Amino acid sequence: MEKLQVKRENIFRIPIVRIDGVDNNDFIELDIEDISLPFRCIEALEKRDEILKEAKQMQQEMQRKINKNNQEEVTKEILEMWNQQYNKLREVFDLFLGEGTCNKIFGKKNYATMFDDLMDALTPFLDEFDMSFKNTKIKIEKKYAPKNKGVI
């Protein structure tokens, strides 16, 4: 029996080298025709800002509780809170880039500027993706609106 498989012609692939330098020949796949992709990117950036703002406020509240007797305990709580927040951020960016992408890039390591570093590293690819998107838009216009170029 044959299996159904939809053609996937407009997939943009970004090669990944893990943060520790290991190259597993892995990649991120972005579907150029996925209309929701820009919205997911914007949402990821907005949620990143919200989560980081909330985490900073939580840290300030926790630091107010520090005294001579509980400094080590509160410091541990702060570190645990940051780890939880970074795990939330991983989920947010995985919704944008695909399930498991953050693990492919960062492994299990969490650090303060990881998502800023990720966006900096993605920027040249997203610029190239934009060019591919424009080419795809032209293909769609030719296919569905050969006489009316203003459809999209």
Side-chain angles (χ1 to χ4, degrees):
M1 175 184 254
E2 288 188 47
K3 295 182 180 182
L4 175 70
Q5 183 173 2
V6 178
K7 276 205 281 187
R8 294 183 67 197
E9 295 176 350
N10 297 306
I11 303 300
F12 187 77
R13 296 176 103 186
I14 302 172
I16 297 173
V17 176
R18 275 192 351 209
I19 195 147
D20 58 7
V22 174
D23 185 352
N24 291 331
N25 294 318
D26 217 339
F27 49 87
I28 299 170
E29 284 188 342
L30 300 175
D31 186 343
I32 294 168
E33 293 179 351
D34 181 357
I35 294 169
S36 70
L37 187 65
F39 298 107
R40 291 195 324 259
C41 178
I42 291 166
E43 184 179 2
L45 295 173
E46 289 173 348
K47 284 189 176 186
R48 174 199 62 185
D49 294 343
E50 288 173 21
I51 289 169
L52 291 176
K53 181 180 177 182
E54 180 183 330
K56 288 175 185 175
Q57 290 172 344
M58 290 168 59
Q59 179 177 346
Q60 288 174 347
E61 289 173 20
M62 293 170 149
Q63 285 175 325
R64 287 188 201 115
K65 297 177 185 176
I66 292 178
N67 61 43
K68 292 178 185 178
N69 299 325
N70 69 357
Q71 185 170 359
E72 190 174 314
E73 180 182 321
V74 173
T75 301
K76 182 180 176 186
E77 288 176 13
I78 290 170
L79 291 173
E80 288 172 358
M81 179 274 303
W82 275 108
N83 195 51
Q84 290 172 358
Q85 299 307 312
Y86 281 116
N87 287 332
K88 283 184 190 177
L89 285 167
R90 284 174 175 264
E91 292 173 13
V92 166
F93 275 84
D94 278 353
L95 288 174
F96 163 45
L97 296 169
E99 188 175 338
T101 299
C102 288
N103 197 47
K104 290 178 186 178
I105 297 169
F106 300 111
K108 294 183 180 183
K109 184 176 183 177
N110 288 331
Y111 64 95
T113 61
M114 63 193 283
F115 295 101
D116 294 330
D117 294 347
L118 174 59
M119 290 310 295
D120 289 346
L122 275 175
T123 297
F125 293 103
L126 294 177
D127 291 344
E128 187 177 334
F129 175 79
D130 185 49
M131 292 304 297
S132 296
F133 178 78
K134 287 176 184 169
N135 290 337
T136 300
K137 179 179 178 260
I138 291 167
K139 281 166 107 176
I140 292 170
E141 284 176 345
K142 284 181 182 177
K143 182 174 181 179
Y144 294 107
K147 295 178 184 172
N148 185 0
K149 299 234 184 225
V151 171
I152 297 180

